[in-house]
Amino acid sequence: MLHTVVAIDLGASSGRVLRGQFDGTKLRIEECGRFPNRPVHVPNDHDQDFEWDVLSLWKGIRAGLREAAQRGPVDAIGIDTWGVDYGILDSDGRLVGNPTAYRSERTETVIDQIHRRIDPAWLYRNTGIQFQPFNTLYQLVADRQRVQSSLSATMLLLPDLLGYWLTGRRVCEVTNASTTGMIDPETRSWSPEVLAALDEQFGVPVPEMLPDLVEPGMRLGTVELARADLRTHTGEQTPLIAVGSHDTASAVVAVPAPDPGTSFGFISCGTWSLVGMELEHPVRTAESQRANFTNELGVDGTVRYLKNIMGMWVQQECIRQWREQHVTDLDWPTLTAETESAPPLRTIIDINAPEFLAPGDVLGRIDAAAVTRGEPVPRSRGEYLRAIADSLAVAYRRALREAQELSGTPISVVHIVGGGSNNALLCQQTADATGMRVVAGPEEGTGIGNMVVQLRAIGAVDGDLSALRSIVQASSPTRVYEPVPGATAAWDLAEERAFRNQAPARRSA
């Protein structure tokens, strides 16, 4: 018997509705809808705001679900999105304005205020979450003086907001909740100490705004979508399943690790690159905080110990600028050929520098970063894209080494999942830079990880994460990249160039 599940997978640049059919061994995936997603600049009197056009996303989701239903019965649905951002509901359950995007500048004025009253080291000991200016707790404090805050009754992270619209149930799924900076990663519950500090120090009544936490695999309700006859194979209404609703949590489920006893490194490579390891317990040491590693929660009680790297966002912004300048020949085969023909390791920058976070003149920022660091300025499209790829590989190398040393857990293989797994140059560079085998794929890592958790929840499969990953292995081809012997010396020098003005990275003896 076939089981059919649908993954609503929203990323920071596009959204998709995917339909997966499971025959008992592997998944066959087809796309039922795709729609763009970009933060929209909204002028106001105070700061540079970017907001998510959540109603446009909702329209795309509805259309994709209808298409999925037209192709046959649907046994379950799951939702994953990016983290930290949220919508505010009033006491009647109505959304109060568009959710503000994490690339907005509104938290810049409150971070110092927060850290003067709440010690960052204390925050890290309680939550294990790295400092990022867009963490939800900073956003909540920044929003406390806005008109919307006086109307707020419930805060829902993006996947939970969409789930509420589909089922009428308000919850907060724990993998995404862990990105807020308000979760204790050991107990997997809201940290009463952090919530109390936000209320006492800043008057943010967070405890009153937060819904109950749920773990991946829980049935949240049935989907009642107007004019879409979503029914299961048994004729019942289709359930919404809590999956790893943070997209990286779903992507890590889809790492096709063959041996459940083997530690692996992962790179979930899309708009962001999330680089790290899967652990049983969080790492909340002072050294981990200084390295700015984060302890986000995963499926089945795991911890995603990782670092956020800027990812393909910088590349996407370069291409956007070229399009606005009416540059032609921006197809991927042409850009890939130009990148591969550009001289390697010519221009190295700190790709994770804060100036690359916001939309805008990224080409100019790359030039400025190169000049500041004494690096040659790129002279062509290929050299810009090569500089980004080389700098990403350097950042991956550094993050993976630090993750091993800080956790005390060695790894021997790196899995790259997501859209970046199709970038053969980046995959080979990562193998060369780290000196480790790289396994690339699946491309649809987040969607597949979303689906296999649904399949287990509806009883189509049994077992732990290794059982779910065996489905991924059977369903998705992978490519292996071996490090070129003797290549690491050049990457040693590249890392020194990228981080020459920073504290030295931890290194093995």
Side-chain angles (χ1 to χ4, degrees), residues 173-306:
E173 190 279 317
V174 72
T175 68
N176 215 355
S178 69
T179 71
T180 64
M182 299 184 290
I183 289 282
D184 181 331
E186 200 68 67
T187 64
R188 299 175 75 91
S189 60
W190 298 114
S191 168
E193 295 82 5
V194 173
L195 301 189
L198 289 172
D199 194 359
E200 293 168 4
Q201 296 294 329
F202 300 100
V204 181
V206 181
E208 302 169 15
M209 301 167 61
L210 298 176
D212 292 337
L213 291 167
V214 297
E215 289 279 352
M218 179 174 286
R219 293 183 180 226
L220 301 179
T222 55
V223 175
E224 299 177 2
L225 191 62
R227 296 183 300 280
D229 187 19
L230 286 163
R231 301 279 172 174
T232 69
H233 286 85
T234 61
E236 299 175 351
Q237 287 187 312
T238 302
L240 179 69
I241 304 296
V243 297
S245 69
H246 189 272
D247 48 13
T248 309
S250 281
V252 174
V253 171
V255 169
D259 182 357
T262 301
S263 295
F264 57 85
F266 64 79
I267 302 171
S268 178
C269 187
T271 302
W272 284 92
S273 288
L274 294 308
V275 184
M277 306 171 64
E278 185 177 75
L279 301 177
E280 293 183 359
H281 300 284
V283 180
R284 291 185 278 183
T285 61
E287 293 81 5
S288 181
Q289 181 193 7
R290 282 194 291 272
N292 211 29
F293 267 75
T294 201
N295 294 270
E296 296 175 358
L297 299 182
V299 172
D300 285 6
T302 57
V303 173
R304 292 173 286 126
Y305 186 59
L306 59 86

Side-chain angles (χ1 to χ4, degrees), residues 319-385:
I319 294 171
R320 179 192 59 78
Q321 281 188 261
W322 288 325
R323 286 199 177 108
E324 290 179 353
Q325 297 166 4
H326 305 292
V327 175
T328 58
D329 298 326
L330 290 174
D331 58 282
W332 281 115
T334 299
L335 292 175
T336 298
E338 292 177 0
T339 306
E340 292 177 347
S341 64
L345 302 179
R346 178 179 182 271
T347 303
I348 300 295
I349 58 175
D350 178 4
I351 199 69
N352 226 30
E355 58 263 29
F356 296 117
L357 178 62
D361 182 15
V362 168
L363 295 169
R365 295 172 197 167
I366 292 174
D367 291 348
V371 170
T372 299
R373 294 180 174 275
E375 295 284 320
V377 173
R379 300 163 297 186
S380 66
R381 293 189 315 194
E383 289 190 1
Y384 277 104
L385 297 179

Side-chain angles (χ1 to χ4, degrees), residues 86 88 114 136-145 149 152 155 182 194-210:
Y86 54 87
I88 293 294
I114 295 172
T136 307
L137 68 87
Y138 299 116
Q139 295 196 48
L140 286 169
V141 174
D143 285 347
R144 75 194 189 284
Q145 295 177 337
S149 66
S152 61
M155 182 201 83
M182 299 184 290
V194 173
L195 301 189
L198 289 172
D199 194 359
E200 293 168 4
Q201 296 294 329
F202 300 100
V204 181
V206 181
E208 302 169 15
M209 301 167 61
L210 298 176

